[in-house]
């Protein structure tokens, strides 16, 4: 009770000695300050809610815009792929590349030795950095004669050629090699079609364009000549890749206008 009386007596002590007018002014000022404080807190809460709501609406609009952009890109890509697949250049190129691929001979023992050294000293050590487990040469070394032939002549870097003064010159990127000077029927087809397919890749910003034999699963052509070039997507080392899954989906479909996609891996 004594403590309560002391607390109740505090306001009286604060205003002790003030006149009535001073006390009224003080009370009005105190009430005004409290009102301003409450108004400020309420305004802050409302403003924070409005800002959060506006931010959410902006993020939602941005999400919808990007989703629509992705849908539009996929539609344009699908339309281009469908149109490209129906051109005479693609149809004839697919037939001729497949026929020439099936006629490729195997490389000789010295060339096979160079190819195996590349897989042992370059390919497998590089692969270990990006895959789990312990990759081995027998798993990734080309299984077919045609794959060994194409990998050796088009995809595997060899010592750079030299100029007249004996100075090594830069070996061109596999995508820019048109003629490996091997005299094969595959190279003859390649000289006729490769420039046009490479131009499509450059113009539209594609990672690659590949041709896969629907009967066998052999990758008979690739613009970039990367690791899956010449492999078999049904039985080879990349048979579990996104590319192989997409190929099997297309292969199983009976719809001539069917298009399949796979996620990034």
């Amino acid at each position: 009770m004594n403590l309560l009386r002391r607390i109740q007596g505090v306001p009286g002590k604060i205003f002790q000695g003030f006149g009535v007018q001073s006390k009224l002014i003080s009370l009005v000022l105190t009430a005004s300050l409290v009102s301003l404080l409450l108004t400020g807190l309420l305004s802050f809460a409302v403003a924070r809610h409005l800002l959060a709501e506006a931010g959410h609406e902006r993020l939602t609009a941005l999400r919808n815009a990007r989703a629509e952009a992705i849908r539009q890109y996929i539609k344009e890509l699908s339309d281009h792929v469908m149109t490209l697949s129906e051109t005479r250049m693609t149809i004839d190129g697919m037939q001729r590349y497949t026929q020439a691929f099936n006629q490729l001979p195997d490389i000789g023992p010295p060339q096979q030795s160079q190819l195996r050294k590349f897989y042992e000293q370059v390919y497998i050590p590089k692969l270990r950095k990006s895959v789990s487990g312990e990759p081995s040469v027998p798993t990734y070394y080309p299984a077919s004669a045609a794959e060994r032939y194409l990998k050796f002549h088009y995809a595997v870097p060899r010592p750079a050629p030299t100029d007249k003064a004996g100075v090594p010159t830069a070996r061109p990127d596999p995508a820019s090699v048109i003629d490996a000077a091997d005299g094969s029927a595959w190279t003859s087809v390649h000289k006729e079609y490769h420039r046009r397919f490479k131009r499509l890749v450059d113009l539209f910003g594609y990672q690659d364009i590949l041709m896969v034999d629907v009967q066998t699963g052999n990758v008979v052509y690739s613009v970039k000549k990367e690791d899956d070039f010449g492999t078999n997507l049904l039985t080879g080392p990349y048979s579990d890749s996104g590319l192989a899954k997409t190929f099997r989906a297309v292969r199983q479909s009976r719809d001539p206008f069917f298009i399949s996609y796979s996620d990034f891996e």
Side-chain angles (χ1 to χ4, degrees):
M1 289 295 294
N2 292 334
L3 178 60
L4 180 60
R5 288 174 182 174
R6 289 177 182 176
I7 294 175
Q8 290 175 343
V10 169
K13 291 180 179 181
I14 293 176
F15 291 105
Q16 190 175 8
F18 282 23
V20 176
Q21 185 177 4
S22 299
K23 290 180 179 180
L24 289 174
I25 294 174
S26 299
L27 288 173
V28 171
L29 288 175
T30 302
S32 299
L33 289 173
V34 172
S35 177
L36 288 174
L37 178 61
L38 292 176
T39 303
L41 291 175
L42 181 61
S43 299
F44 173 76
V46 172
R48 183 175 64 175
H49 174 73
L50 292 176
L51 287 173
E53 193 173 87
H56 181 266
E57 290 177 355
R58 288 186 61 186
L59 289 175
T60 301
L62 180 62
R63 179 198 64 189
N64 294 338
R66 292 196 173 183
E68 182 59 31
I70 292 173
R71 282 193 291 267
Q72 185 63 29
Y73 172 75
I74 292 176
K75 182 181 183 305
E76 291 176 358
L77 180 62
S78 301
D79 292 343
H80 185 249
V81 169
M82 184 61 66
T83 302
L84 179 62
S85 67
E86 294 178 328
T87 63
R88 178 53 56 186
M89 177 184 74
T90 302
I91 296 173
D92 291 347
M94 181 74 228
Q95 293 175 346
R96 294 184 61 188
Y97 268 119
T98 301
Q99 184 179 11
F101 182 91
N102 294 331
Q103 296 174 355
L104 286 171
D106 202 348
I107 53 178
Q111 296 170 323
Q112 289 194 31
S113 177
Q114 293 180 44
L115 185 61
R116 183 168 288 274
K117 284 182 180 179
F118 166 77
Y119 275 84
E120 293 173 347
Q121 300 174 9
V122 179
Y123 186 84
I124 295 299
K126 183 179 179 181
L127 190 63
R128 287 194 184 104
K129 299 177 182 178
S130 57
V131 299
S132 59
E134 183 61 27
S136 63
V137 173
T139 300
Y140 291 92
Y141 185 77
S144 69
E147 183 185 354
R148 287 190 291 270
Y149 188 96
L150 292 177
K151 284 285 176 63
F152 179 81
H153 286 287
Y154 281 93
V156 176
R158 294 188 291 279
T162 58
D163 57 18
K164 294 181 180 180
V167 178
T169 57
R171 178 174 171 78
D173 180 77
S176 64
V177 177
I178 298 174
D179 183 0
D182 59 309
S184 66
W186 193 94
T187 292
S188 178
V189 177
H190 195 253
K191 288 191 294 184
E192 184 175 348
Y193 289 95
H194 179 65
R195 287 187 183 89
R196 286 179 279 180
F197 285 115
K198 184 179 183 300
R199 181 167 176 78
L200 287 171
V201 167
D202 295 338
L203 285 176
F204 291 95
Y206 295 152
Q207 173 64 27
D208 201 352
I209 290 179
L210 302 93
M211 290 185 174
V212 186
D213 183 0
V214 71
Q215 299 297 329
T216 63
N218 292 322
V219 181
V220 299
Y221 169 74
S222 166
V223 171
K224 295 295 185 69
K225 313 293 189 301
E226 295 184 342
D227 298 338
D228 44 20
F229 173 51
T231 64
N232 188 290
L233 297 183
L234 298 177
T235 61
Y238 303 103
S239 58
D240 291 329
S241 66
L243 174 63
K245 295 173 185 176
T246 302
F247 168 71
R248 285 195 291 270
V250 174
R251 187 171 185 256
Q252 293 169 2
S253 174
R254 294 296 179 264
D255 181 2
F257 301 104
F258 177 77
I259 295 179
S260 179
Y261 306 91
S262 65
D263 293 332
F264 288 105
E265 294 185 357

